Amino acid sequence: MKLSAVDLSPVPDDGTATDAYEHTVEAAQQAEKLGFERFWVAEHHGMTDIVAGTTPEVLLGHLAAETDSIRLGSGAVLLNHYSPFKVAETFGALSALAPGRIDAGLGRANGSPATDHALETERRVENPDERHEAKIEAVVSHLFDDFPDEHAYSDLEIVRSDAEPPVPWVLGSSPSSAAIAAKLGLRYCFAAFIRPGLATQSFETYREQFRPSPLPGGLEEPAGMVAVNAVCAETDTKAARQRAVAEASFRRIQRGEPPARPTVADAIDELGGVPDPTPASLPADEWPRAVSGSPETLADLLERLAADIGVEEVMIQQAVADHETALRSHELLAEGVGLETA
């Protein structure tokens, strides 16, 4: 099994975005040394007191200079906010900075009305799935300079390296995003930390509807990855204590509160006790929003999930109390999976 990571650049208590970005750089460098396949950064808006991951395209340029070999990408760039040409220009420049190791993870999400208005996001459009599909296709066509001669954009060019262009991925958390990835014949990453119960259905949709890609950079056969909220510690019990932070954060979101990350002690208090350790065996259609375990337990859980939904790569997303816990979790999980360190 391959392991990857996505980082939201959480702002530490009494810290700033500068501290958050320094932690993201350290996490990317650690992931590279541990043998992780790729390291993605996220795009969230209107929560800068909690997460500083607002502009993945900027942060990726810095990470390109601070790493040597690991693949870097967006998890995701929110395509509904931007023009496909500008997104392609951005990722073309990133590819020139880090030739052959950039992933263009393409997704969508709406925020608050004020945030969407500030971003000039179209909140009400006819056939939103068709529009999203068309924008993804346009990004790929720009990245690979694949517009036909008669197309209005055929003369537009983006900067690029002499290595492979950025690899396009469709990101989502529902069967509708899976259907788009299948129709375009592109790689698909499912966010199980958002809607874990739809993971099996989404990958079934992806495989059933998949057709060889008409696009450059596409696939002849399906290829996917699942993103999971997971924390690893020395024992199952200790890992469950760390998972309390994610569980409490989810409850705050459900209550309509800001998803600020509590301390472990405060999270346990909010939950009314330490969460039970994640069971050693979980059906794919009953996967919780967060899992935890010792290196052996968690590695086995992730292997089972990957096998159940038919993927070979798992991306780790974390909601833990502090940066040191996150780094230690990645270290232990890499050990449990048996990654080859650099």
Side-chain angles (χ1 to χ4, degrees), residues 1 28 55 78 178 193 195 202 257 310:
M1 180 179 67
T55 49
L78 302 181
F193 54 86
R195 294 190 181 101
S202 295
E257 300 174 5

Side-chain angles (χ1 to χ4, degrees), residues 7-11 13 50-51 229 245-246 248-249 252 258-264 266-267 270 317-322 326:
D7 191 283
L8 279 62
S9 301
V11 179
D13 291 342
I50 301 169
V51 293
N229 186 297
V245 175
S249 296
R252 291 181 179 189
R261 297 182 185 185
T263 65
V264 172
D266 286 345
E270 285 188 33
Q317 188 254 17
Q318 292 181 328
V320 293
D322 54 65

